[in-house]
Amino acid sequence: MTNEERQLVKECRIMVIGTDTFVAYLKSELKSIGFSNIVVGNISDCQKNITAINIISEYGDNVNSRLMPDMFSAPIIYPFDFVSGAGAIVIMPGDDKELLAQTDLRLWAAEYISGYCAFWNMEGCDWLSEALPEIKAGVINESAQRLAAHICARIAANIAVGREVKHFPRFYLAESEG
C-alpha cells in the first residue's frame, strides 16, 4: 500500500454491524490494515452515522439486516461464515438489492455460490456444498468467522482506496485452512 492509500484507509469511516464475536475479529483485522474510525452499531446507530463502507454480519435469519440496504448509498459488505470456509458478497450503490430480502441470507448465499460453482465447474468449491447441511442447521465456526473478517477487511481496504472489487452477482469465497 502506498502512503496515499494508507492515508485514505486511515480517514475512511467504517460502520460494522454484526455478532459481538464477529465484530471483535473484524475490528482487529481493520485496525491491522490501518482503519482508525470504526463505529460499531445497530440499526438506530446506522441511521445516525451513515458511513463510507458498511459491513453487516449475517449468521442466519436476521430480519433487521434485511432493512439495511435502503438506508445506505455506500457499498455494503455481507460476510458469511460457511463453517468450512467463508465468503462475502458486496452490494454497490445501484446494484439490485432484491437478494437481500431473503429470509436466511446466509443459507441463500451458500446455495447460490455453491450452485454457481457447480454450474461453471469451478474447482475447489466442493467443501461448500458439503457444508450446506451444517449451514442449514445454523452451525457457526470460529475459524470461518475469522476468515470472513479477514476477507471483509481486505475488501473494505480496496473500496477505501478506490480499487475495483467484485460485487454481486460475483462473490468472494475461501476455504478455511486445516
Side-chain angles (χ1 to χ4, degrees), residues 3 101 105 174:
N3 286 336
L105 186 54

Side-chain angles (χ1 to χ4, degrees), residues 2 8 11 16 24 28 76 89 106 122 156:
T2 67
L8 288 170
E11 292 173 0
V16 179
S28 175
I76 303 170
I89 294 177
R106 178 187 184 217
M122 295 172 67

Side-chain angles (χ1 to χ4, degrees), residues 80 82 88-91 99 102 104-120 122 125 128-129 132 135 167-173:
F80 300 101
F82 289 146
I89 294 177
V90 178
I91 305 296
L99 74 108
Q102 302 298 319
D104 185 338
L105 186 54
R106 178 187 184 217
L107 177 59
W108 181 91
E111 291 173 340
Y112 166 76
I113 293 170
S114 178
Y116 185 101
C117 291
F119 180 82
W120 292 106
M122 295 172 67
C125 299
L128 181 56
S129 58
L132 284 173
I135 294 167
H167 58 96
F168 188 76
R170 295 166 59 206
F171 52 84
Y172 294 85
L173 183 66

Side-chain angles (χ1 to χ4, degrees), residues 94-171:
D95 284 353
D96 183 1
K97 294 176 179 70
E98 285 183 41
L99 74 108
L100 302 179
Q102 302 298 319
T103 302
D104 185 338
L105 186 54
R106 178 187 184 217
L107 177 59
W108 181 91
E111 291 173 340
Y112 166 76
I113 293 170
S114 178
Y116 185 101
C117 291
F119 180 82
W120 292 106
N121 237 0
M122 295 172 67
E123 292 185 26
C125 299
D126 292 343
W127 63 267
L128 181 56
S129 58
E130 293 167 7
L132 284 173
E134 290 178 289
I135 294 167
K136 287 178 184 174
V139 173
I140 59 173
N141 179 295
E142 182 180 336
S143 66
Q145 286 186 17
R146 287 182 186 274
L147 180 56
H150 180 79
I151 292 168
C152 267
R154 297 306 180 258
I155 294 168
N158 285 330
I159 292 171
V161 300
R163 289 191 190 120
E164 190 71 27
V165 297
K166 295 188 280 188
H167 58 96
F168 188 76
R170 295 166 59 206
F171 52 84

Side-chain angles (χ1 to χ4, degrees), residues 39-51:
V39 178
V40 178
N42 57 35
I43 300 296
S44 62
D45 291 334
C46 291
Q47 292 169 331
K48 295 176 204 162
N49 291 309
I50 296 180
T51 60

Side-chain angles (χ1 to χ4, degrees), residues 16-26 40-41 55-60 62 81 140 145:
V16 179
I17 304 162
T19 63
D20 290 340
T21 304
F22 178 77
V23 167
Y25 298 147
L26 183 57
V40 178
I55 300 168
I56 299 168
S57 173
E58 280 289 338
Y59 298 111
N62 186 346
D81 162 356
I140 59 173
Q145 286 186 17

